[in-house]
Amino acid sequence: MIRIALIPGDGIGPEVVHEAERVLSACVSVGLADLQLESFPHGADHYLSTGETLSDQTFSRIRDEFDAVLLGAVGDARVPDGRHARDILLGLRFRLDLFVNYRPARLRLAELSPLRAADETPIDFVIFRENTEGLYTGAGRVDSEGTADERAVSEAIATRTGVERIVRAAFEHARISGKERVTLGDKANAVPHVYGLWRRVFEEVAREYADIESEMRYVDALAMQLVREPGRFDVIVTSNLLGDILSDLAAELIGGMGLAPSANLNPGLHALYEPVHGSAPDMVGTGTANPMAAILSAALLLRNGGFGEAAARIDAAVDAALRAGIRTPDVRGGSTTSEVGTWIAQRIQE
Ligand code: IPM
Ligand code: MN
């Protein structure tokens, strides 16, 4: 049994998580999964009415009483500094030490790629984004704020331990899933301290995986090559901010943010699953939000939680929905959020 904490969050988060929940329930009803779900109200509304972003008490419950979190999205214009989003999403990533941000990108339907030659080589790669260090730790300061001498510093942190564990996770994944190549995305030519460490560690770890090809790319050139030749990539490992940027690019290559799931992992200990997309406030209530990224995130959850058959069924049902034209407008369809969720849930029960 997997105990899942649902945090629908803000904007379209609740709409897409609702569909993911239906799909999870469908898996339970056909005996493919054994789940216990509990919803948490945390998000902008909850913060604005109670002042609580994510209390220590809630955090402890999530840490101790659940196997996984499924999060919709956090972000709301009424909280301009995004404080609650940082506390909830980055807070869970850091406090649960979810050092792997696993972001797969597979082109499911060739016509959805903006690339001309997309149908020639299948696009199917995954980004291993370091998730607990880099420029995301909040380390830094602002001196002389508001004066002409104002100076802001954000420190990028890379530790040998932190880099090594994500690089190793990437190589390990490549080996287990029969992938040929691991690519490091860095910026060692301009940011020597942090990315010098990344390169040294990457080369050391790569030597232990002689069966897997390894290569290092400056991130700007990598971005270019991802557009030109996306099919050549298998596993990309990179730092927190670079991974954030590359994963939006990757999502767009396979049909957009509506199709991009992710898993934030401390393997064997804690996990948080979320669509890569944000809260998209302008789409709320229009029925146009694509629930597939949330549904595919739920599939990753099931797969990692030991319900591989359920995960495979969801995956196949999403592919079938895309082929059958059961799609929201972002993927050139005319279906609503709930029509897509209903169709996929039904397909699983067939
Ligand atoms: C993501 C998001 C977050 C990030 C934001 C909401 C802080 O863009 O999960 O990719 O930058 O990690
Ligand atoms: Mn992002």
Side-chain angles (χ1 to χ4, degrees), residues 5-11 40-48 50-56 58-59 62-63 69-76 79 81-98 131 264 271-274:
L6 297 169
I7 307 180
D10 304 332
F40 286 79
H42 298 78
D45 282 339
H46 183 77
Y47 171 54
L48 292 169
T50 67
E52 181 199 58
T53 54
L54 189 74
S55 63
D56 287 343
T58 308
F59 170 74
I62 288 176
R63 182 193 54 201
V69 177
L70 179 62
L71 179 99
V74 278
D76 187 300
V79 190
D81 63 358
R83 192 183 148 188
H84 73 297
R86 272 205 310 282
D87 280 5
I88 296 170
L89 178 57
L90 301 186
L92 285 168
R93 285 180 186 167
F94 280 88
R95 295 167 82 184
L96 295 174
D97 201 22
L98 306 172
N131 218 22
N264 299 258
L272 179 153
Y273 299 83
E274 47 159 353

Side-chain angles (χ1 to χ4, degrees), residues 232-246:
R232 77 176 286 290
F233 292 97
D234 288 330
V235 179
I236 295 171
V237 62
T238 192
S239 65
N240 211 337
L241 181 65
L242 302 186
D244 178 47
I245 299 165
L246 289 178

Side-chain angles (χ1 to χ4, degrees), residues 89 93 101 103 129 136 240-241 243-248 257 274-278:
L89 178 57
R93 285 180 186 167
N101 196 330
R103 297 190 154 185
R129 167 184 172 188
Y136 273 66
N240 211 337
L241 181 65
D244 178 47
I245 299 165
L246 289 178
S247 57
D248 274 27
M257 304 299 284
E274 47 159 353
V276 176
H277 66 66

Side-chain angles (χ1 to χ4, degrees), residues 257-262 274-277 290-298:
M257 304 299 284
L259 294 175
S262 77
E274 47 159 353
V276 176
H277 66 66
N290 188 345
M292 287 174 169
I295 290 169
L296 291 168
S297 299

